[in-house]
Amino acid sequence: MTITPDIIGYVAAALTTSSFLPQAILTIKTRDTESLSMGMYSLFTTGVFCWLVYGVYIADKALVIANIVTFILAATILSFKVYNDFLKKK
């Protein structure tokens, strides 16, 4: 089997997206965002969206698939963070 750039791309996409899953699952399950940085998640979510747009632009399926999944998870966590910090009555 020959290792192609596409294979490397799919492996990288699977590894980086799956590395984000434990944090996403924990936050979605508990909805606890107290220890999460608003700045970090804002920048991260924006960056993932930019990677998604870039992947669409260059027609790279691995980039698109990985960043769709990661963007949905990151945006969900960011929305919990915004809600908990600004909208939830304490």
Side-chain angles (χ1 to χ4, degrees):
M1 177 170 105
T2 303
I3 297 177
T4 66
D6 283 343
I7 292 172
I8 294 169
Y10 280 106
V11 169
L15 291 171
T16 55
T17 300
S18 64
S19 73
F20 187 68
L21 280 174
Q23 180 67 60
I25 291 168
L26 180 66
T27 303
I28 291 167
K29 192 175 183 181
T30 65
R31 299 185 190 249
D32 178 18
T33 59
E34 186 73 26
S35 65
L36 301 179
S37 165
M38 176 70 75
M40 179 272 180
Y41 265 90
S42 298
L43 291 171
F44 179 74
T45 304
T46 303
V48 169
F49 181 74
C50 290
W51 277 114
L52 172 59
V53 171
Y54 176 70
V56 169
Y57 185 73
I58 66 168
D60 186 314
K61 289 180 187 176
L63 274 178
V64 171
I65 293 166
N67 285 293
I68 284 173
V69 172
T70 305
F71 178 74
I72 290 169
L73 295 171
T76 300
I77 291 171
L78 182 59
S79 67
F80 288 155
K81 182 67 176 168
V82 168
Y83 175 79
N84 288 339
D85 285 6
F86 300 113
L87 304 173
K88 186 177 180 181
K89 297 189 186 216
K90 295 185 178 190

